[in-house]
PDB file of all heavy atoms in Angstrom:
ATOM      1  N   VAL A 109     -89.859 130.014  43.903  1.00 89.00           N
ATOM      2  CA  VAL A 109     -88.937 129.621  42.812  1.00 89.00           C
ATOM      3  C   VAL A 109     -88.254 130.863  42.275  1.00 89.00           C
ATOM      4  O   VAL A 109     -88.912 131.884  41.923  1.00 89.00           O
ATOM      5  CB  VAL A 109     -89.709 128.903  41.687  1.00 89.00           C
ATOM      6  CG1 VAL A 109     -88.783 128.614  40.493  1.00 89.00           C
ATOM      7  CG2 VAL A 109     -90.342 127.618  42.212  1.00 89.00           C
ATOM      8  N   VAL A 110     -86.953 130.853  42.124  1.00 89.00           N
ATOM      9  CA  VAL A 110     -86.169 131.898  41.541  1.00 89.00           C
ATOM     10  C   VAL A 110     -85.560 131.423  40.220  1.00 89.00           C
ATOM     11  O   VAL A 110     -85.345 132.283  39.327  1.00 89.00           O
ATOM     12  CB  VAL A 110     -85.121 132.484  42.486  1.00 89.00           C
ATOM     13  CG1 VAL A 110     -85.820 133.216  43.603  1.00 89.00           C
ATOM     14  CG2 VAL A 110     -84.270 131.341  43.065  1.00 89.00           C
ATOM     15  N   TYR A 111     -85.222 130.209  40.147  1.00 90.00           N
ATOM     16  CA  TYR A 111     -84.632 129.649  38.886  1.00 90.00           C
ATOM     17  C   TYR A 111     -85.130 128.259  38.673  1.00 90.00           C
ATOM     18  O   TYR A 111     -85.643 127.570  39.601  1.00 90.00           O
ATOM     19  CB  TYR A 111     -83.112 129.595  38.990  1.00 90.00           C
ATOM     20  CG  TYR A 111     -82.421 130.943  38.989  1.00 90.00           C
ATOM     21  CD1 TYR A 111     -81.732 131.405  40.159  1.00 90.00           C
ATOM     22  CD2 TYR A 111     -82.445 131.734  37.918  1.00 90.00           C
ATOM     23  CE1 TYR A 111     -81.149 132.565  40.197  1.00 90.00           C
ATOM     24  CE2 TYR A 111     -81.819 132.982  37.895  1.00 90.00           C
ATOM     25  CZ  TYR A 111     -81.169 133.424  39.057  1.00 90.00           C
ATOM     26  OH  TYR A 111     -80.546 134.655  39.030  1.00 90.00           O
ATOM     27  N   GLY A 112     -84.987 127.819  37.442  1.00 91.00           N
ATOM     28  CA  GLY A 112     -85.173 126.443  37.094  1.00 91.00           C
ATOM     29  C   GLY A 112     -83.877 125.928  36.470  1.00 91.00           C
ATOM     30  O   GLY A 112     -83.332 126.572  35.545  1.00 91.00           O
ATOM     31  N   PHE A 113     -83.405 124.853  36.964  1.00 91.00           N
ATOM     32  CA  PHE A 113     -82.135 124.273  36.510  1.00 91.00           C
ATOM     33  C   PHE A 113     -82.399 122.970  35.800  1.00 91.00           C
ATOM     34  O   PHE A 113     -83.132 122.092  36.319  1.00 91.00           O
ATOM     35  CB  PHE A 113     -81.164 124.054  37.670  1.00 91.00           C
ATOM     36  CG  PHE A 113     -79.818 123.473  37.297  1.00 91.00           C
ATOM     37  CD1 PHE A 113     -78.832 124.307  36.822  1.00 91.00           C
ATOM     38  CD2 PHE A 113     -79.572 122.092  37.391  1.00 91.00           C
ATOM     39  CE1 PHE A 113     -77.558 123.767  36.507  1.00 91.00           C
ATOM     40  CE2 PHE A 113     -78.362 121.577  37.076  1.00 91.00           C
ATOM     41  CZ  PHE A 113     -77.352 122.424  36.618  1.00 91.00           C
ATOM     42  N   GLY A 114     -81.848 122.818  34.624  1.00 91.00           N
ATOM     43  CA  GLY A 114     -82.098 121.548  33.838  1.00 91.00           C
ATOM     44  C   GLY A 114     -80.782 120.994  33.252  1.00 91.00           C
ATOM     45  O   GLY A 114     -79.887 121.764  32.941  1.00 91.00           O
ATOM     46  N   MET A 115     -80.726 119.729  33.082  1.00 87.00           N
ATOM     47  CA  MET A 115     -79.586 119.094  32.447  1.00 87.00           C
ATOM     48  C   MET A 115     -80.046 117.829  31.766  1.00 87.00           C
ATOM     49  O   MET A 115     -80.982 117.138  32.189  1.00 87.00           O
ATOM     50  CB  MET A 115     -78.505 118.815  33.424  1.00 87.00           C
ATOM     51  CG  MET A 115     -78.865 117.863  34.530  1.00 87.00           C
ATOM     52  SD  MET A 115     -77.540 117.667  35.777  1.00 87.00           S
ATOM     53  CE  MET A 115     -76.225 116.946  34.774  1.00 87.00           C
ATOM     54  N   VAL A 116     -79.373 117.502  30.648  1.00 86.00           N
ATOM     55  CA  VAL A 116     -79.658 116.226  29.910  1.00 86.00           C
ATOM     56  C   VAL A 116     -78.670 115.219  30.441  1.00 86.00           C
ATOM     57  O   VAL A 116     -77.478 115.415  30.332  1.00 86.00           O
ATOM     58  CB  VAL A 116     -79.494 116.442  28.409  1.00 86.00           C
ATOM     59  CG1 VAL A 116     -79.685 115.124  27.675  1.00 86.00           C
ATOM     60  CG2 VAL A 116     -80.464 117.477  27.856  1.00 86.00           C
ATOM     61  N   ILE A 117     -79.183 114.114  30.982  1.00 78.00           N
ATOM     62  CA  ILE A 117     -78.294 113.128  31.538  1.00 78.00           C
ATOM     63  C   ILE A 117     -78.020 111.978  30.593  1.00 78.00           C
ATOM     64  O   ILE A 117     -77.006 111.283  30.690  1.00 78.00           O
ATOM     65  CB  ILE A 117     -78.851 112.510  32.855  1.00 78.00           C
ATOM     66  CG1 ILE A 117     -80.269 111.870  32.616  1.00 78.00           C
ATOM     67  CG2 ILE A 117     -78.919 113.569  33.962  1.00 78.00           C
ATOM     68  CD1 ILE A 117     -80.764 111.128  33.856  1.00 78.00           C
ATOM     69  N   PHE A 118     -78.877 111.825  29.558  1.00 68.00           N
ATOM     70  CA  PHE A 118     -78.601 110.899  28.501  1.00 68.00           C
ATOM     71  C   PHE A 118     -79.293 111.431  27.254  1.00 68.00           C
ATOM     72  O   PHE A 118     -80.516 111.470  27.157  1.00 68.00           O
ATOM     73  CB  PHE A 118     -79.118 109.508  28.803  1.00 68.00           C
ATOM     74  CG  PHE A 118     -78.095 108.423  28.412  1.00 68.00           C
ATOM     75  CD1 PHE A 118     -77.297 107.801  29.332  1.00 68.00           C
ATOM     76  CD2 PHE A 118     -77.994 108.075  27.058  1.00 68.00           C
ATOM     77  CE1 PHE A 118     -76.376 106.855  28.989  1.00 68.00           C
ATOM     78  CE2 PHE A 118     -77.069 107.127  26.680  1.00 68.00           C
ATOM     79  CZ  PHE A 118     -76.258 106.478  27.619  1.00 68.00           C
ATOM     80  N   ASP A 119     -78.476 111.830  26.279  1.00 60.00           N
ATOM     81  CA  ASP A 119     -79.045 112.605  25.136  1.00 60.00           C
ATOM     82  C   ASP A 119     -79.465 111.730  23.953  1.00 60.00           C
ATOM     83  O   ASP A 119     -79.962 112.219  22.952  1.00 60.00           O
ATOM     84  CB  ASP A 119     -78.023 113.614  24.627  1.00 60.00           C
ATOM     85  CG  ASP A 119     -76.678 112.951  24.207  1.00 60.00           C
ATOM     86  OD1 ASP A 119     -76.629 111.755  24.053  1.00 60.00           O
ATOM     87  OD2 ASP A 119     -75.728 113.747  23.975  1.00 60.00           O
ATOM     88  N   ASP A 120     -79.368 110.399  24.104  1.00 61.00           N
ATOM     89  CA  ASP A 120     -79.818 109.525  23.011  1.00 61.00           C
ATOM     90  C   ASP A 120     -80.305 108.174  23.635  1.00 61.00           C
ATOM     91  O   ASP A 120     -79.403 107.398  24.029  1.00 61.00           O
ATOM     92  CB  ASP A 120     -78.695 109.294  22.015  1.00 61.00           C
ATOM     93  CG  ASP A 120     -79.194 108.541  20.715  1.00 61.00           C
ATOM     94  OD1 ASP A 120     -80.206 107.892  20.817  1.00 61.00           O
ATOM     95  OD2 ASP A 120     -78.566 108.698  19.686  1.00 61.00           O
TER      96      ASP A 120
END
Side-chain angles (χ1 to χ4, degrees):
V109 176
V110 289
Y111 292 113
F113 180 81
M115 63 185 297
V116 176
I117 57 172
F118 221 103
D119 58 13
D120 190 335

